Amino acid sequence: MNALWLSLETCNRLLRDEASAVATYDLALDRFRRSPDRQILKRIRSDHQESLLSLEESIVAAGGLPETSFGPWEGFGNAFEDPSSHLEQSLALELLKLGEAHELDDYEQALADVRVAEGVKAIIRQNLLPPIKRHLEALESLTLSNP
């Protein structure tokens, strides 16, 4: 397994995470139609969309093919997809925080992997990790204001 292949595989895994985040936030935003928190969630969704595009560009620039098949975060989307579910906003925010924490773990694992190219790690450090940390802080703040 060469470094380029592993880096492309890592980027595609992270791309799937970001695409799943976008899909999950699309579903979650339906639960927050009349909430003052909706704008914050829309901004977080937009950040994930930007990260997704950054990863796609990196994959193409390295000669790879970005994956195109995704769905909401596994297990998280199901809670939002069922229209009969009366998922409370506070629980929805907790689920979103769990998804963000999962992404943070994936980015940190990629940074710790000595087989992942330094160029990919630089993209993670500079472009992808900071928004995830901001998302967790924003969701924590929303959770505190929605007991």
Side-chain angles (χ1 to χ4, degrees), residues 118-130:
E118 282 305 315
V120 171
K121 290 181 179 183
I123 292 168
I124 292 170
R125 276 189 216 99
Q126 294 166 9
N127 302 342
L128 305 174
L129 204 52

Side-chain angles (χ1 to χ4, degrees), residues 6-54:
L6 182 65
S7 293
L8 287 172
E9 180 182 277
T10 299
C11 284
N12 264 314
R13 180 173 44 84
L14 299 173
L15 174 71
R16 284 191 304 273
D17 282 352
E18 291 296 346
S20 294
V22 170
T24 301
Y25 276 92
D26 284 343
L27 293 171
L29 284 165
D30 283 342
R31 301 284 176 163
F32 288 83
R33 275 193 205 130
R34 293 175 184 82
S35 171
D37 301 333
R38 182 175 172 79
Q39 284 308 113
I40 295 169
L41 298 179
K42 284 176 78 171
R43 183 180 43 83
I44 292 173
R45 185 223 176 266
S46 177
D47 286 348
H48 282 293
Q49 183 68 39
E50 287 178 28
S51 294
L52 182 148
L53 294 173
S54 175

Side-chain angles (χ1 to χ4, degrees), residues 30 45 55 61 73 79 94 100 123:
D30 283 342
R45 185 223 176 266
L55 284 162
W73 283 324
E94 288 295 332
E100 296 287 347
I123 292 168

Side-chain angles (χ1 to χ4, degrees), residues 30-32 78-93 95:
D30 283 342
R31 301 284 176 163
F32 288 83
N78 297 341
F80 296 114
E81 285 177 329
D82 182 1
S84 66
S85 166
H86 298 318
L87 185 66
E88 291 185 27
Q89 287 185 354
S90 59
L91 179 56
L93 292 170
L95 290 173

